[in-house]
Amino acid sequence: MGERYVLGLREVDETQVAVVGGKGAQLGGLSRIDGISVPGGFCVTTDAFRRVMAGVPSTDELLDRLSRSDPDDRDTIRMLGARIREAIEGAVVPDDLAVAITGALVELGEDAACAVRSSATAEDLPTASFAGQQDTYLNVVGTEAILRHVSRCWASLFTERAVIYRQRNGIDHRTVRMAVVVQRMVLPDASGILFTADPVTGNRKVATVDAGFGLGEALVSGLVNPDVYKVRDDEIVARTIAAKQRAVHALPTGGTREVTVDSQRQEQPALTDAQVVRLVRLGRRIEAHFGRPQDIEWCLADDGFQIVQSRPITTLFPVPESGDQENHVYVSVGHGQMMTDPMKPLGHSMWRLTAMVPMHEAGGRLFVDVTRRLAAPTSRAGLLDVLGKGDPLIRDALETVLDRDGFVPTIPDAGPGGPPAGGPPAPLETDPAVVTRLIERSETSVAALERDIRSKTGPALFEFLMEAFEEHKRVLSDPLSIQAIMAGMEATWWLNDKLLDWLGEKNAADTLTLSAPGNITSEMGLALLDVADVIRPHPELVTFLQGVEDDGFLDELAKLPGGAEARDAIEAYLDRYGMRCVGEIDITRPRWRERPTTLVPVILDNVRNFEPGAAERRFEQGRRRAQEKERDVLSRLRALPDGDLKADEAKRMIDRVRTFIGYREYPKYGIISRYFIYKRALLAEAERLVQAGVLPEVEDVFHLTFQEFHDAVRSNRVDDRLVRQRKEAFRSYHALTPPRVLTSEGDALTGAYRRDDVPAGALVGLPVSAGTVEGRARVVLDMADADLEAGDILVTAFTDPSWSPLFVGIAGLVTEVGGLMTHGAVIAREYGLPAVVGVEQATRLIRDGQRIRVHGTDGYVEILP
């Protein structure tokens, strides 16, 4: 079909973004929904925009300069944007185009007042909400004025903020086109916004209505506070009626103006209750049509609602699919695993296949459904206790849900089933040989996996892996391993409780566990100090490493004086720890072995900040401090009534904690060792798919689930569209903050610390490693960007084991996520670093370079003047 410059709204739908832009496509879709009124109108298509731009050759060179400009160079952007806008607004609209627009206006009614609205092709994508990026002109009267405002809309594609937005989001200026929507103007009694889900809590069953008098501009521009209603199941559950002193009205000659509302009317609601309920019903119909919660602009004229805009609410966290209509409560896996970033489909599907409990995916994160365990009183108490010990915010969020009438129905405890067959397991002896035996078992199992996987390719590999995952789960659920982990944790809790009770000492176990033996994660941090010792004597190596950008640098390194030893030291480190990386529970994340440059800045920090032999000294100092603490505690206990008894019990628990606490980190090391073996075999399969022309690039398989990857290997086919959609979705998930607790209604709960023992203005968290330290905050979001000096305090979102090499060089730690027994906390205690975890929004509230004081014993952070 030839170029069409004008299309009626009813001729288009939401699939035609390329022709009529985001807003036009949405409005076309809306106008087709049964029972929804949209003001009549038409779209001036992107063909028209292209035609006009082709007639303004001067914009070509300006666009080139604009694409090359730096997004931070405001002056250049402002100047180039203004010149492009001037050229477009000054261009003569070709005759055939002017005739098409005029003809459409005659059908609307030549003297009708119109709204002229920009509709860009990149607008309102699920990943980039362009709301307010381009312009809207209200109450435009007369053909000439409408043509002038259509040109202005075209030009608004190059306003300063629209240009900067595209540059920041990597959108090419030439790929975005502008359509224009011309609609009959509604002169409303009231107008406002309807959210079909509560934008604050995320609850999908609660709609929020904002309403004011006159045109909606007054609300959008913040000129007045609106009336606010919350509606659930056709019932208004909350209302706030505001004093609406101003309104925006249309003028008969065109344009709008602010007016003062009659004092008698100011306190009156803009809508009746019946109208509010009716509006929400219309909203539910629109939401059902588009298949996701909507942010809807509406007008009320003569008791009829007209819908003038609807777009998806992009900030809501998605709800896991449950397949039923029951209520569900989900707990975040990422907060327990110290990894709240989104995972790619291969990553979350493999974590689910190797996990001990069923998990559900939403927004690229995993959740466990705890509804049944919350329903029965005994399992509820146990769950709240275990989760609360790890992360008090999760416990608080769950209690908030339990306080809601009947959201989680109570079911009776399971009947008395008697003790489990075979009775309780025999208590575990405090014997280091237990840990040695467990580690040997794990190493044997990993070696067998590595040996057996070598010969497997194609569909046989996937069948082999499904069996390997069963072995993986068997090792994880080994009763002896679980007993050893629990022994270390229970001894820690016992010591903290009893020594607080008997001696008034807070968190005494923190000092007693310094340099506990056999902790694979803390050894990993110290071992990198030894690597730095090999490099430090050779200035040439240091200079070389400062310039390293390519992951193949080890061969080059070996050619320099001292370089062969340095390479061997790094290689040996990678052989032992190279399967680790940030976000390691997602198999698709690049491991250190795949990207050794990640370690270079940490090695250089160690060279700069430490003396030779630091690793051994650090470990020895910690061991001595723990021994002194033990002597001190035991002698003070002996002076108490029943002192010998108390001292003997405490001694038994100190030995127990030092025997078992280091093992706490080993199972995760075992899992990640397996993961790297799985990954190498899977990448070889992906390589074969690329060779066979089934996939453009190896990493595309990361956007398939394990099952889909298996199918692709069997059929030699991959759906390119699916991979593209998944990449787009993954990008959008980065903008979402995962909640600690999520309900099936969409409530995203973070929980709160209920504490009154904290100074005003301090940031509250969980005390996990005792001591107080003051220093410069370094806010680090990516380990590869860490640039730490001795005495710095690391502030970050979360730390999994891969961050521990940074711990040796810092004075304190603050994280947004974490609990008493998560990796960061365990390692902080072993290294003697004051640490506070679970500090909501720490990386936003603390600025890089600010001085802060970390209260690791009492669990708060002060920002110092």
Side-chain angles (χ1 to χ4, degrees):
M1 101 184 197
E3 302 215 320
R4 291 199 57 188
Y5 297 137
V6 171
L7 288 170
L9 269 184
R10 287 185 163 273
E11 292 179 74
V12 297
D13 64 22
E14 54 271 36
T15 61
Q16 286 163 279
V17 175
V19 184
V20 294
K23 193 173 292 167
Q26 264 322 71
L27 285 167
L30 279 168
S31 63
R32 293 163 170 239
I33 304 172
D34 203 22
I36 300 296
S37 304
V38 173
F42 58 88
C43 301
V44 181
T45 65
T46 52
D47 285 341
F49 173 75
R50 237 193 321 259
R51 173 83 192 274
V52 168
M53 288 295 277
V56 195
S58 61
T59 56
D60 263 1
E61 184 245 347
L62 292 169
L63 272 172
D64 282 341
R65 286 172 61 192
L66 193 57
S67 320
R68 289 196 303 270
S69 64
D70 177 346
D72 295 325
D73 181 357
R74 285 284 174 87
D75 293 343
T76 304
I77 287 175
R78 199 174 296 130
M79 182 270 294
L80 290 169
R83 285 176 58 186
I84 296 174
R85 287 201 305 278
E86 228 167 273
I88 296 171
E89 284 184 42
V92 177
V93 176
D95 288 350
D96 52 343
L97 178 46
V99 166
I101 295 173
T102 312
L105 277 173
V106 170
E107 280 183 48
L108 266 191
E110 258 179 291
D111 300 328
C114 290
V116 181
R117 313 170 72 188
S118 317
S119 177
T121 52
E123 206 171 18
D124 295 334
L125 297 174
T127 54
S129 184
F130 272 59
Q133 290 296 110
Q134 279 87 31
D135 298 344
T136 284
Y137 302 97
L138 298 177
N139 203 35
V140 183
V141 181
T143 309
E144 193 187 324
I146 286 171
L147 281 171
R148 194 166 64 248
H149 283 89
V150 167
S151 292
R152 279 191 174 175
C153 283
W154 289 330
S156 75
L157 201 50
F158 298 98
T159 59
E160 183 183 353
R161 67 170 181 218
V163 168
I164 289 172
Y165 185 90
R166 287 196 294 274
Q167 279 180 284
R168 295 246 152 93
N169 285 279
I171 299 166
D172 180 352
H173 300 300
R174 289 174 188 279
T175 60
V176 185
R177 312 225 182 281
M178 182 65 87
V180 181
V181 177
V182 179
Q183 274 176 294
R184 188 186 272 279
M185 185 72 194
V186 182
L187 301 178
D189 307 316
S191 59
I193 297 164
L194 155 65
F195 295 99
T196 64
D198 187 320
V200 179
T201 66
N203 192 305
R204 309 302 201 264
K205 296 214 165 163
V206 175
T208 305
V209 175
D210 289 6
F213 294 124
L215 291 166
E217 295 315 287
L219 298 192
V220 177
S221 62
L223 189 63
V224 297
N225 287 331
D227 297 339
V228 181
Y229 298 87
K230 293 195 183 292
V231 180
R232 184 184 177 113
D233 300 330
D234 284 350
E235 188 191 340
I236 296 174
V237 291
R239 63 156 65 71
T240 313
I241 306 302
K244 298 169 287 294
Q245 291 154 349
R246 323 277 297 156
V248 174
H249 282 220
L251 296 168
T253 52
T256 60
R257 71 181 175 116
E258 262 182 56
V259 296
T260 303
V261 176
D262 248 4
S263 55
Q264 293 86 44
R265 278 189 76 206
Q266 287 182 7
E267 303 282 344
Q268 277 186 352
L271 297 176
T272 65
D273 285 3
Q275 285 170 333
V276 171
V277 171
R278 199 167 87 221
L279 173 62
V280 170
R281 281 188 190 155
L282 294 175
R284 292 279 173 233
R285 204 171 266 200
I286 294 169
E287 176 182 66
H289 174 83
F290 289 118
R292 53 187 293 191
Q294 298 288 305
D295 158 357
I296 297 165
E297 291 173 29
W298 55 269
C299 298
L300 175 73
D302 306 325
D303 197 37
F305 284 105
Q306 301 259 0
I307 303 300
V308 293
Q309 170 87 310
S310 183
R311 54 176 170 257
I313 309 177
T314 51
T315 53
L316 296 177
F317 199 86
V319 178
E321 297 279 330
S322 67
D324 60 34
Q325 295 305 302
E326 306 291 307
N327 289 346
H328 292 270
V329 183
Y330 301 98
V331 170
S332 160
V333 171
H335 285 81
Q337 287 294 340
M338 298 295 87
M339 157 58 186
T340 50
D341 290 349
M343 295 166 80
K344 291 183 181 144
L346 187 63
H348 60 70
S349 67
M350 284 189 67
W351 192 256
R352 286 167 76 171
L353 286 166
T354 51
M356 302 312 298
V357 289
M359 294 179 178
H360 305 261
E361 182 272 336
R365 278 74 167 195
L366 290 171
F367 294 87
V368 174
D369 186 341
V370 294
T371 322
R372 287 205 62 84
R373 289 171 67 191
L374 286 175
T378 307
S379 60
R380 176 190 313 157
L383 182 73
L384 290 174
D385 185 47
V386 168
L387 291 176
K389 274 203 169 96
D391 184 340
L393 292 176
I394 289 183
R395 179 181 182 132
D396 185 77
L398 288 172
E399 285 173 340
T400 304
V401 176
L402 289 167
D403 287 343
R404 291 186 191 157
D405 279 349
F407 187 81
V408 178
T410 298
I411 57 173
D413 282 314
L428 198 59
E429 288 292 305
T430 301
D431 178 3
V434 172
V435 174
T436 314
R437 191 159 79 245
L438 283 166
I439 289 175
E440 277 169 7
R441 271 189 210 176
S442 174
E443 285 175 348
T444 308
S445 175
V446 170
L449 171 68
E450 195 153 21
R451 186 185 63 239
D452 298 344
I453 204 167
R454 282 190 199 130
S455 57
K456 308 289 187 288
T457 59
L461 170 69
F462 288 82
E463 280 141 34
F464 170 80
L465 282 172
M466 287 308 286
E467 287 168 32
F469 296 164
E470 290 311 308
E471 164 69 0
H472 181 123
K473 289 197 271 198
R474 194 191 63 68
V475 172
L476 262 189
S477 58
D478 178 343
L480 187 65
S481 175
I482 290 165
Q483 269 188 290
I485 293 170
M486 288 313 296
M489 286 174 25
E490 282 162 359
T492 306
W493 296 328
W494 189 95
L495 285 165
N496 280 338
D497 290 348
K498 292 294 187 192
L499 297 180
L500 180 61
D501 195 17
W502 292 339
L503 299 175
E505 278 234 15
K506 275 188 190 172
N507 306 9
D510 293 2
T511 313
L512 293 167
T513 50
L514 285 171
S515 298
N519 184 323
I520 188 89
T521 309
S522 53
E523 285 166 8
M524 176 168 82
L526 296 173
L528 207 58
L529 289 175
D530 292 336
V531 172
D533 286 354
V534 179
I535 292 164
R536 193 179 292 104
H538 304 285
E540 268 181 87
L541 297 183
V542 175
T543 308
F544 170 77
L545 287 174
Q546 280 162 345
V548 157
E549 278 171 15
D550 173 24
D551 285 310
F553 69 91
L554 288 169
D555 294 335
E556 289 303 303
L557 182 71
K559 295 173 187 167
L560 298 169
E565 292 80 8
R567 181 194 57 195
D568 293 348
I570 294 172
E571 283 285 359
Y573 187 85
L574 289 172
D575 286 344
R576 183 138 170 80
Y577 304 111
M579 76 294 284
R580 308 225 86 149
C581 66
V582 172
E584 61 192 8
I585 70 170
D586 181 351
I587 200 165
T588 71
R589 292 285 195 105
R591 312 282 134 180
W592 290 343
R593 175 48 93 187
E594 297 169 306
R595 198 172 287 172
T597 44
T598 313
L599 292 172
V600 170
V602 193
I603 294 172
L604 288 170
D605 282 350
N606 286 349
V607 167
R608 190 174 68 237
N609 296 333
F610 289 93
E611 297 294 313
E616 202 175 332
R617 274 201 308 282
R618 286 288 298 265
F619 189 76
E620 206 32 57
Q621 273 165 354
R623 216 171 57 83
R624 273 208 304 279
R625 275 185 60 200
Q627 280 173 342
E628 283 159 21
K629 184 72 177 173
E630 177 179 330
R631 280 199 296 274
D632 167 57
V633 163
L634 296 179
S635 74
R636 283 161 61 204
L637 285 176
R638 288 205 176 90
L640 298 175
D642 291 330
D644 286 347
L645 208 63
K646 288 175 173 147
D648 289 348
E649 264 189 281
K651 170 68 176 143
R652 227 181 32 253
M653 284 300 175
I654 292 169
D655 290 347
R656 196 163 177 78
V657 82
R658 289 192 72 81
T659 300
F660 290 116
I661 202 68
Y663 179 70
R664 157 79 183 80
E665 292 291 298
Y666 197 85
K668 183 82 169 268
Y669 174 77
I671 293 170
I672 300 306
S673 301
R674 285 173 184 283
Y675 255 41
F676 195 32
I677 299 170
Y678 305 153
K679 182 176 189 178
R680 285 175 149 171
L682 288 169
L683 284 175
E685 280 310 309
E687 195 64 66
R688 278 189 273 280
L689 290 176
V690 172
Q691 298 296 319
V694 177
L695 278 179
E697 50 190 277
V698 166
E699 296 201 348
D700 284 355
V701 297
F702 294 165
H703 294 281
L704 302 175
T705 64
F706 182 79
Q707 194 50 58
E708 289 162 349
F709 189 177
H710 187 180
D711 294 343
V713 167
R714 263 202 301 254
S715 64
N716 257 345
R717 271 209 312 276
V718 170
D719 177 354
D720 309 339
R721 241 194 9 254
L722 177 70
V723 172
R724 264 204 316 281
Q725 280 166 353
R726 293 269 177 80
K727 284 181 177 175
E728 194 51 51
F730 180 69
R731 264 201 296 277
S732 74
Y733 295 153
H734 280 279
L736 300 173
T737 303
R740 283 179 166 79
V741 170
L742 185 62
T743 72
S744 46
E745 293 187 346
D747 284 295
L749 297 134
T750 290
Y753 293 104
R754 318 262 168 206
R755 289 176 50 189
D756 47 17
D757 59 342
V758 169
L763 310 180
V764 186
L766 184 64
V768 295
S769 185
T772 301
V773 66
E774 247 180 61
R776 176 179 68 159
R778 293 316 308 259
V779 180
V780 180
L781 297 176
D782 180 347
M783 186 174 146
D785 302 335
D787 178 15
L788 298 163
E789 298 284 345
D792 283 348
I793 296 168
L794 175 63
V795 179
T796 187
F798 58 80
T799 62
D800 56 12
S802 71
W803 286 74
S804 50
L806 293 182
F807 284 21
V808 296
I810 57 175
L813 173 71
V814 179
T815 69
E816 295 180 345
V817 175
L820 258 179
M821 283 298 166
T822 44
H823 302 275
V826 174
I827 307 308
R829 288 195 287 273
E830 284 205 14
Y831 284 170
L833 292 176
V836 181
V837 302
V839 180
E840 272 299 287
Q841 299 201 2
T843 58
R844 289 185 208 138
L845 298 172
I846 298 171
R847 284 199 312 279
D848 187 54
Q850 270 183 323
R851 286 196 68 74
I852 60 173
R853 189 181 297 129
V854 177
H855 294 262
T857 312
D858 295 312
Y860 62 91
V861 180
E862 289 178 285
I863 297 176
L864 302 175

